[in-house]
Amino acid sequence: MKHKRLNRDGWGFQYYPYYQMRIDCESFHGLVCLIRFTDGEANYWETPKAGRIQVTGEDMTWLELIPDNTSRVITVKYFPDDTHDVERANYPESFYAKYRPSIWYVDIIEGLEYDEDGIAVFIDKYLDVIFTPEGDVKIDDRDELDQAHDTGELSDEQYEDALKECDLILNELCSDIAKTNAWCAEVREIVEKRLAAGEAITKCREVLQLEKQGESA
């Protein structure tokens, strides 16, 4: 199983502002991470109901939620504040608010660790659930999960746990997407208030090395 840092360096995001914090409140208990895209080209995926959906691009924000007592990383990929893609003709009117998600991507995980810089690292368990405001719901990479089980990389218990977590995600997050949207927006508002109050950027080794190079230049 691959280990993936929550600053999403595998996507080349390590030079964007990345925040990582613990939140404990009535609506959420767990780890929250946020990435702000300060530049970069827009990238898109195709979906049956929403059509072409934006996943990266300047001024977008990724909010990553790792609730306690779950085996998932919920990533909400938000449009720039107060906007949404005009191509999304069926985008729900009830989602017209400051924080407007383009898509949710939920990784099913084996566990959570931290690297030497304190960056959260999740152990990816292959299976993913993807859904949109317009109602697209897709279970992704089931073939990779099955292959990992067939080759012995995953035990029977690990395999069954991944499928159970997938069912929980479908029931808890995808059965009422408007409710999920409101919950995510509530958590993001807590995060934004902490950032406005001076929450520090969490720096990975690449950023620290880049800063050292700049100081020595």
Side-chain angles (χ1 to χ4, degrees), residues 27-115:
S27 58
F28 185 84
H29 293 274
L31 187 70
V32 179
C33 309
L34 184 140
I35 300 171
R36 292 202 191 281
F37 290 82
T38 53
D39 55 30
E41 294 182 1
N43 290 292
Y44 295 85
W45 293 341
E46 288 289 339
T47 62
K49 293 183 179 180
R52 193 176 75 140
I53 58 164
Q54 187 175 0
V55 294
T56 64
E58 186 174 0
D59 294 328
M60 287 191 76
T61 298
W62 280 23
L63 179 71
E64 303 174 295
L65 310 177
I66 307 95
D68 289 347
N69 304 314
T70 68
S71 299
R72 68 190 70 162
V73 176
I74 305 163
T75 302
V76 198
K77 304 180 181 186
Y78 284 104
F79 291 114
D81 290 357
D82 298 307
T83 69
H84 81 284
D85 195 330
V86 294
E87 292 184 9
R88 303 279 285 269
N90 297 317
Y91 197 86
E93 292 185 6
S94 61
F95 283 26
Y96 288 1
K98 182 176 182 180
Y99 307 129
R100 300 178 183 177
S102 179
I103 189 171
W104 283 265
Y105 194 104
V106 187
D107 294 273
I108 293 174
I109 67 174
E110 177 69 9
L112 191 67
E113 303 174 348
Y114 294 85
D115 70 9

Side-chain angles (χ1 to χ4, degrees), residues 14-16 203-212:
Q14 61 263 45
Y15 302 117
Y16 291 98
K203 297 179 181 179
C204 62
R205 70 180 72 94
E206 292 85 355
V207 171
L208 294 171
Q209 290 170 355
L210 192 66
E211 289 179 349
K212 287 182 179 179

Side-chain angles (χ1 to χ4, degrees), residues 5-25:
R5 292 193 291 178
L6 267 295
N7 68 329
R8 299 294 184 170
D9 58 317
W11 288 63
F13 293 167
Q14 61 263 45
Y15 302 117
Y16 291 98
Y18 169 77
Y19 303 87
Q20 180 178 294
M21 64 192 74
R22 171 84 195 180
I23 290 179
D24 287 286
C25 64

